[in-house]
Amino acid sequence: MIQFVDVTKTYRTFEGPRTILRNANFTFDDGHNYGILGANGSGKSTLLRVIAGAEFPNSGQVRRNGRVSFPLGFSGTFHTQLSGRRNALFLARVYGADEEWMAEFVEDFSELGPYYDMPLQTYSSGMMAKLAFGVSFALDFDIYLIDEATEVGDARFRQKCARIFRERIARSDIIMVSHNGNTIRSYCDRGAVLLNGRLELFDSIDEAMRIYNRTLGIIDG
Amino acid sequence: MSTVASNLPSGSPSIEPAHDAEGAIAALRIERNACMVASDWPGAAGFATQIAALPTCTPEDLRIASGVLSQCGRMADALPFAIRASLAEPDNAEFAQHAGCVSNQCGDDRGAIDFLLKAAFLDSENAETYQQLSLSADRLDDLAAATALAQRAYQLDPSSPHRGAVAAHYLAREQRLAEATAILRRVVDTADPSPAICRMLAHLLQVQGDYVGALEAIDQAISADPDNAEYHAARAHALLELGRNDEADIALQRSLELDPANLGGLRHAVSILAEKDQFDRALSYSGRLLERQPNNAEFGNCMRHLLETQRINTAVSDFAEIAALKASAPARRAAPRTYSDGLANQFRIIMALVLRDLRGRHGHSHIGLLWILLEPIIHIGVLAVVFQFTMEGSPPMGDDFFLFYFTGVMPYLLLNHLVMRVGSAVRDSRGLMQVASITPMDLLMARSIVEFFITIVAFFIFIGLFELCGVDAASFAPQYVFGAFAITWMLGTGIGLVFATLHEFGGAIDSVLGVFMRIIYFVSGIFYVPALLPLFARDIFVWNPFLHVVDLMRIGFFPSYDPPWSDVPYAAEVSVVMLLLGLITVTATARPMRILR
């Protein structure tokens, strides 16, 4: 469960500060996958980092119950001089996971072959994403955060990720941000719309989509 | 005595009577003007250059020479005449403007700006001058100035659709879409617009989501130029956004009939449909693309991506299914966390960071250790060689120059590395803090531990090397030597933490840091003994806590050394205060440090 209590969050843009949330109160319940819809530039990625605990709100409190992932596929935690294996081992240590098991899982999942033991400098962005996803899945979080904008690699690998989520649907929840409802619909059962400093939650994706599309002016009335 | 119409090429040439003194030039002018009237520009150019070569030629002649050469497309040849004309008659705005235009065409942006500014000064109401200035500004990558100048040109000459379009173009490039749209709308409403301007307006409106307006504008463009394939494709895109798929289909068909090779319109239509979740139609368009170009890799990828997305969509077609699966799952309970867990976690994280930093420092190569030794070796070696010759004989302390400098350089290198690397730790690995449990303090502490560890390892290797070379270095007094290292660690970490905080306010602090460390180097007795300093200088230098640290190190190595000015408690106090100050400033800025730039 993740609870936002009276949270205000702004972020800096070239045109000055922009408010993502203003005194917002809401709760992501356990046992549900949430899809958050927001227009480009509405602060979806920053919201995700606040949920992750990577950034703090300007005021208010975020309470978390359970292990929350870093934004999925994010490769900024990696050291580019080190190999995929070393990076996996590092994150295993940070999260207190079984190091050996983790190194093997990631090797298996990310399908990097000999590159797994080469420095990340030699990786393509697709390989980087594979490693990042492998590490995220190995860590077995209670709540996975997904930024739909992150690159996922080729189609087959995307499917593999989707399959993993299907397998884990019972034990892990997902909070996903996206600017279109397409992907969200195939992962989530509840929806939310980020707009004008508020996050409005809906019991169904379709309801959220309807409101979101109206704000974009695609559907009238 | 002679006046020639100053405006080229529209000006009417007047013919002069031939006087004896200027008979030749007048005859040439007649020939030239005749060519100009007949629009025989190459012919005119020949006569004009002949005239310009004569010493009695007037600025007008030069201006005409440049004009006719420009007409022939010989911009590089025209430029010197244009410049000479403007220099010969500096008060003529038209000459200055012309010189600016030709410079622009020749790619001499700065020259162009000089002349154009003069022209604007002489005649501040001439739209063309501002338009040309905006072109130069754009070439010099000053988009803001280019935009402002183009807007001014349009204000001065609002009846020109061309100036409106240029101003709108710059505004759009600055992402000022609303203003660009307003200008284009005015152009379209007042003048008889070209289809290209209507197309531009349609594009701007489409980007801003005003599909009805975009459709209107593109229809206007098509009514003026009905056979442009690109216009029909743009019309199809607006219709697709409006959900008028059948009409869009017809428009796309028309576009492809007009230009079968241009599949960009169709490809973009696929993107629009995919974005709107209309996969069936998107697939059919994508199929048409592949039908026309079966070997196009991009079209193949596009098709595969569509199929993939559709399959994932149908794999879990209904959120109710997910909801049911979720609901049937057993309830989870997160283990409660205790304070000691938190402490153990933090320790584990710092150790993980230390390992990562050590491993990552010099990549995969094994020369890492060598590199750690190389820096002090070079440093000590240079000092020893230089001073061995200048001092001619024995070092200030002990028997070995290398050992003497070693005792000064090692603590300095530790201090320098701590300040530099702790100071940049947060900036180097901001991404790491996307992991919520890693705090800025963890990063900074890990860096500090790594630097300390590396220096201590290097220290012992050097002690071994000295012994191998027969210099007695191992019999140092550990309480002084490690005391010196401990104080250095606190001082360096403290300063590093403060600089890490200052980094948050801008990167300019880096240069301050470099200067700061250089000053410390010279006032700390690293390559000399403070006893050699004049008394007044020493009285000032003893305020530097690091001087006492270096002395403490030397006391540990040279038992006979006992400086009367030594005040180790003072150095230790300053270091503790510095460390506390660093800890406080970092704690205070921990939140902004987490923000991803």
Side-chain angles (χ1 to χ4, degrees):
Chain A
M1 187 187 69
I2 297 176
Q3 196 178 5
F4 275 58
V5 184
D6 235 8
V7 169
T8 297
K9 175 72 184 173
T10 62
Y11 78 106
R12 263 181 280 175
T13 67
F14 290 114
E15 294 139 18
R18 186 175 294 178
T19 307
I20 303 168
L21 292 174
R22 195 176 294 112
N23 300 325
N25 288 284
F26 52 84
T27 305
F28 297 110
D29 293 321
D30 281 346
H32 293 284
N33 288 354
Y34 288 85
I36 301 173
L37 290 157
N40 286 328
S42 62
K44 295 185 301 287
S45 300
T46 310
L47 172 64
L48 212 57
R49 290 202 289 275
V50 174
I51 296 174
E55 277 186 31
F56 289 96
N58 300 51
S59 68
Q61 220 185 351
V62 182
R63 297 184 188 139
R64 296 176 195 81
N65 191 6
R67 284 157 53 109
V68 183
S69 81
F70 48 88
L72 197 58
F74 180 76
S75 52
T77 51
F78 291 145
H79 196 308
T80 51
Q81 305 261 333
L82 295 178
S83 67
R85 185 187 304 277
R86 290 271 183 231
N87 275 295
L89 285 171
F90 165 70
L91 283 167
R93 276 184 215 111
V94 166
Y95 281 99
D98 181 338
E99 293 173 30
E100 210 169 305
W101 180 86
M102 169 126 172
E104 270 172 36
F105 179 97
V106 177
E107 179 165 26
D108 223 43
F109 186 88
S110 56
E111 305 170 352
L112 291 168
Y115 277 97
Y116 189 51
D117 285 303
M118 296 195 355
L120 264 55
Q121 287 166 323
T122 58
Y123 285 28
S124 67
S125 63
M127 292 160 78
M128 210 71 139
K130 285 179 172 188
L131 179 68
F133 273 78
V135 167
S136 308
F137 287 133
L139 285 168
D140 208 8
F141 293 105
D142 296 319
I143 297 168
Y144 279 96
L145 307 179
I146 307 176
D147 193 335
E148 207 234 340
T150 10
E151 194 191 340
V152 198
D154 56 69
R156 205 180 54 77
F157 191 76
R158 258 202 303 276
Q159 262 191 305
K160 192 170 173 178
C161 294
R163 204 166 56 236
I164 280 252
F165 274 123
R166 289 278 284 165
E167 284 165 15
R168 293 193 179 179
I169 211 159
R171 63 184 158 110
S172 301
D173 295 334
I174 293 172
I175 298 175
M176 177 184 250
V177 296
S178 174
H179 68 98
N180 70 51
N182 215 349
T183 332
I184 280 191
R185 202 177 263 144
S186 57
Y187 284 104
C188 307
D189 60 321
R190 284 190 175 176
V193 176
L194 180 62
L195 184 73
N196 299 334
R198 285 161 49 83
L199 186 81
E200 212 167 328
L201 283 99
F202 299 92
D203 279 343
S204 85
I205 290 287
D206 288 351
E207 180 70 7
M209 283 291 293
R210 215 169 52 77
I211 300 295
Y212 175 63
N213 284 342
R214 188 181 300 166
T215 66
L216 291 183
I218 293 172
I219 302 170
D220 289 328
Chain B
M1 54 157 267
S2 76
T3 52
V4 179
S6 59
N7 263 338
L8 262 186
S10 57
S12 57
S14 64
I15 293 164
E16 300 293 315
H19 290 280
D20 288 346
E22 297 192 348
I25 197 164
L28 282 168
R29 280 190 184 126
I30 290 167
E31 298 268 22
R32 177 194 70 193
N33 294 347
C35 285
M36 283 165 63
V37 170
S39 295
D40 172 14
W41 302 112
F47 294 116
T49 44
Q50 277 183 47
I51 297 170
L54 297 172
T56 51
C57 77
T58 62
E60 282 90 346
D61 289 325
L62 294 166
R63 168 66 182 84
I64 291 170
S66 169
V68 292
L69 283 164
S70 306
Q71 281 288 334
C72 300
R74 292 161 60 186
M75 289 299 163
D77 296 330
L79 184 58
F81 294 117
I83 292 174
R84 275 172 61 196
S86 180
L87 293 179
E89 200 172 314
D91 291 338
N92 188 321
E94 201 278 331
F95 285 7
Q97 187 200 53
H98 175 77
C101 295
V102 177
S103 300
N104 246 344
Q105 302 249 12
C106 293
D108 176 11
D109 307 317
R110 296 196 180 278
I113 285 179
D114 285 345
F115 284 111
L116 290 168
L117 284 177
K118 196 160 83 178
F121 177 71
L122 293 167
D123 176 7
S124 61
E125 302 292 309
N126 189 313
E128 180 60 23
T129 306
Y130 291 101
Q131 183 114 26
Q132 290 287 338
L133 268 173
S134 108
L135 179 66
S136 312
D138 180 34
R139 289 236 193 90
L140 293 170
D141 281 331
D142 188 349
L143 187 55
T147 311
L149 289 161
Q151 278 178 291
R152 173 101 177 107
Y154 176 57
Q155 272 171 11
L156 289 170
D157 185 10
S159 63
S160 156
H162 171 64
R163 300 205 203 289
V166 170
H169 164 79
Y170 283 125
L171 283 166
R173 272 174 57 191
E174 277 210 292
Q175 293 301 316
R176 290 156 68 179
L177 300 180
E179 291 166 77
T181 313
I183 286 186
L184 282 185
R185 271 209 194 285
R186 211 175 318 138
V187 170
V188 170
D189 289 345
T190 51
D192 187 22
S194 72
I197 288 178
C198 295
R199 170 73 188 93
M200 191 171 164
L201 175 63
H203 176 73
L204 279 174
L205 292 169
Q206 178 100 356
V207 169
Q208 291 171 95
D210 178 2
Y211 306 124
V212 177
L215 186 61
E216 222 169 85
I218 199 70
D219 277 341
Q220 203 173 346
I222 290 176
S223 72
D225 180 5
D227 291 335
N228 186 315
E230 207 274 325
Y231 295 172
H232 286 281
R235 180 162 191 272
H237 299 152
L239 287 165
L240 281 177
E241 295 281 11
L242 290 166
R244 289 156 67 178
N245 289 341
D246 294 337
E247 292 166 76
D249 223 21
I250 296 167
L252 268 179
Q253 205 56 51
R254 178 88 186 109
S255 162
L256 287 172
E257 277 166 20
L258 288 166
D259 183 3
N262 186 356
L263 296 178
L266 192 54
R267 174 67 189 83
H268 187 64
V270 175
S271 299
I272 295 175
L273 288 165
E275 188 80 6
K276 288 171 72 76
D277 281 2
Q278 295 181 2
F279 281 95
D280 290 341
R281 191 171 282 264
L283 277 170
S284 112
Y285 280 4
S286 184
R288 276 206 247 165
L289 282 172
L290 279 177
E291 207 174 286
R292 282 163 194 266
Q293 286 186 18
N295 295 325
N296 185 313
E298 208 271 323
F299 295 165
N301 267 333
C302 164
M303 177 62 119
R304 212 173 56 198
H305 177 78
L306 282 174
L307 288 168
E308 190 60 41
T309 321
Q310 207 192 27
R311 189 158 50 199
I312 291 176
N313 277 5
T314 46
V316 188
S317 55
D318 192 1
F319 75 87
E321 192 189 339
I322 300 175
L325 274 166
K326 285 282 201 195
S328 63
R332 293 191 302 267
R333 191 176 301 152
R337 265 185 251 165
T338 64
Y339 186 67
S340 67
D341 271 358
L343 221 58
N345 269 342
Q346 229 54 39
F347 179 74
R348 200 185 57 227
I349 286 170
I350 291 179
M351 282 303 115
L353 286 167
V354 166
L355 263 178
R356 175 185 193 262
D357 211 6
L358 275 175
R359 289 223 169 90
R361 170 140 327 184
H362 300 290
H364 260 223
S365 64
H366 294 286
I367 60 157
L369 189 67
L370 197 68
W371 183 244
I372 289 166
L373 299 179
L374 216 56
E375 189 186 6
I377 285 176
I378 293 170
H379 201 143
I380 295 167
V382 168
L383 285 176
V385 167
V386 169
F387 284 101
Q388 197 149 21
F389 289 115
T390 54
M391 292 212 171
E392 294 176 358
S394 61
M397 264 172 255
D399 315 311
D400 189 79
F401 271 98
F402 288 90
L403 185 61
F404 173 72
Y405 293 121
F406 171 72
T407 55
V409 166
M410 283 318 277
Y412 174 75
L413 284 182
L414 175 59
L415 185 81
N416 187 32
H417 288 165
L418 281 169
V419 171
M420 293 296 186
R421 309 257 319 154
V422 172
S424 66
V426 171
R427 185 189 39 174
D428 291 350
S429 21
R430 213 175 270 280
L432 261 184
M433 285 185 292
Q434 293 302 295
V435 175
S437 50
I438 298 178
T439 65
M441 196 63 91
D442 294 338
L443 289 175
L444 296 163
M445 282 303 133
R447 266 289 162 82
S448 166
I449 292 170
V450 167
E451 293 308 331
F452 191 71
F453 174 77
I454 287 177
T455 306
I456 294 297
V457 168
F459 174 80
F460 278 110
I461 293 174
F462 274 109
I463 296 292
L465 288 176
F466 275 117
E467 290 294 328
L468 277 180
C469 301
V471 179
D472 176 27
S475 60
F476 59 84
Q479 69 274 28
Y480 299 128
V481 170
F482 292 119
F485 276 130
I487 298 172
T488 308
W489 179 77
M490 289 193 290
L491 186 65
T493 305
I495 299 172
L497 292 177
V498 171
F499 274 112
T501 307
L502 293 177
H503 253 306
E504 291 304 300
F505 300 98
I509 202 72
D510 272 336
S511 45
V512 178
L513 201 57
V515 173
F516 175 78
M517 285 317 295
R518 226 154 291 160
I519 293 172
I520 291 285
Y521 184 75
F522 285 105
V523 299
S524 300
I526 286 152
F527 53 91
Y528 57 90
V529 192
L532 299 176
L533 290 171
L535 199 59
F536 77 92
R538 206 175 69 207
D539 284 345
I540 298 169
F541 281 26
V542 291
W543 287 98
N544 165 20
F546 193 59
L547 180 112
H548 303 284
V549 178
V550 176
D551 270 340
L552 185 61
M553 180 67 81
R554 299 224 162 106
I555 294 169
F557 272 90
F558 310 107
S560 58
Y561 184 51
D562 182 18
W565 59 83
S566 172
D567 188 355
V568 176
Y570 164 73
E573 280 160 24
V574 173
S575 302
V576 170
V577 169
M578 208 62 217
L579 184 60
L580 286 177
L581 184 69
L583 291 173
I584 291 167
T585 56
V586 167
T587 312
T589 46
R591 284 181 171 218
M593 277 181 186
R594 295 201 80 100
I595 294 172
L596 205 61
R597 302 276 161 81

